[in-house]
Amino acid sequence: MRVPAFLSALLLPLTASAQLFGSNSVNPDPSAQPKLNITLRASFPDISNELVNVGSGNPSVKLVNGIPTRVSFDLANFEASPIFVEAVGGSLWDAGKDVAVRNLTSKKLGGVEVPKDQKIEIPYEFVNEMHPRDILLNLVMVLRFEGEIVTVTAYNQTVAVVEAPTSLLDPQLLFLYLILAVTVAYSGYFVYNTWLASVIPITKRSKSDAPKLVKPAPLLAQSGKYDESWIPAHHIKKPTTSRAKSGAKGRKGGD
């Protein structure tokens, strides 16, 4: 029985999703897929090609938690008919148990046409959050060729999941420090007012202990005189010099 064209168009996205995330127990085998005369590779723009091509025993590609990982899919079509790209995506696998750990976010393209002898580059990125470990990264592209859905593996190697580097000037850490400081200050204020304020006595200063200001005697500005009672006597009496004394004695002798 032939499926109507409109129904086939409706089922294509579901079929592509099933091809992309169909199994959680077996790592997709590229040899089980139909052979197409194409070349497909996945590269990481933020990592040099020499490091990407290192074998699985030395995971050079690092998936940093919380930071997007950029991937570039490069597809070249050497078939006699055009190929349509339906979606790209991937998954993370436990290499030792051959079990899917997590499916990555898929990017649906809606059938981007790649004519004969033409190339296309499709950007893709995903964000990972998991415990640091070595894990198998599988990146695939879902193609439609002559009405058939084909999943082609672009990358299938071991990568390392690492934590993002921390800095003291990180805005998130600064905001966290601010929240902690406000919380500690408010907690201390609450504890003091609730329990310590009633236990610790507050000593009040009496009025007798307060320093008293002594107002100096006012100057007698109207008469041009001033109060001499508080000035020492030796400052008021002018000293007589020896010359003045000898002159006074001479005048007495002449008399």
Side-chain angles (χ1 to χ4, degrees):
M1 179 178 177
R2 185 178 181 83
V3 180
F6 75 93
L7 184 58
S8 177
L10 292 176
L11 293 177
L12 275 176
L14 298 177
T15 307
S17 299
Q19 291 281 346
L20 195 58
F21 307 123
S23 175
N24 289 333
S25 59
V26 179
N27 195 355
D29 185 6
S31 61
Q33 298 293 331
K35 295 294 184 179
L36 296 177
N37 190 13
I38 62 173
T39 58
L40 175 64
R41 62 185 297 270
S43 60
F44 300 84
D46 299 331
I47 305 175
S48 63
N49 293 331
E50 296 179 358
L51 295 178
V52 173
N53 294 329
V54 174
S56 59
N58 183 14
S60 58
V61 177
K62 293 180 174 57
L63 308 183
V64 183
N65 286 331
I67 298 179
T69 301
R70 297 194 303 145
V71 183
S72 177
F73 288 89
D74 298 316
L75 172 65
N77 179 21
F78 300 107
E79 291 284 349
S81 302
I83 294 177
F84 300 90
V85 182
E86 296 293 339
V88 293
S91 55
L92 298 174
W93 293 74
D94 191 336
K97 300 179 181 179
D98 200 18
V99 176
V101 177
R102 181 170 301 172
N103 289 327
L104 303 177
T105 304
S106 63
K107 180 179 181 180
K108 297 181 180 180
L109 301 172
V112 177
E113 182 179 357
V114 184
K116 175 186 176 182
D117 298 331
Q118 296 294 323
K119 298 180 180 180
I120 188 174
E121 180 180 350
I122 299 176
Y124 170 71
E125 68 177 29
F126 62 91
V127 180
N128 182 65
E129 285 288 351
M130 63 188 311
H131 293 293
R133 57 186 295 190
D134 289 348
I135 200 166
L136 187 67
L137 173 62
N138 179 257
L139 299 175
V140 298
M141 177 179 287
V142 180
L143 305 175
R144 177 165 53 90
F145 178 69
E146 295 182 350
E148 184 179 0
I149 296 296
V150 181
T151 302
V152 183
T153 300
Y155 186 86
N156 191 44
Q157 291 189 21
T158 302
V159 298
V161 179
V162 297
E163 293 289 351
T166 57
S167 174
L168 294 178
L169 300 179
D170 188 2
Q172 294 182 352
L173 288 180
L174 293 178
F175 182 74
L176 178 61
Y177 295 154
L178 178 61
I179 295 298
L180 291 177
V182 172
T183 303
V184 171
Y186 179 78
S187 300
Y189 178 78
F190 178 78
V191 170
Y192 177 79
N193 287 339
T194 305
W195 291 287
L196 299 181
S198 59
V199 176
I200 301 176
I202 300 177
T203 57
K204 295 183 178 180
R205 195 171 186 178
S206 60
K207 294 183 179 180
S208 59
D209 297 335
K212 297 181 180 180
L213 298 178
V214 179
K215 188 175 181 180
L219 298 177
L220 302 178
Q222 295 179 355
S223 60
K225 298 181 180 180
Y226 50 87
D227 187 8
E228 298 180 354
S229 60
W230 58 277
I231 302 177
H234 66 276
H235 285 286
I236 299 176
K237 186 177 180 181
K238 295 182 179 180
T240 57
T241 60
S242 59
R243 181 179 297 179
K245 292 181 179 180
S246 61
K249 291 180 179 180
R251 284 195 298 272
K252 289 181 180 180
D255 294 340

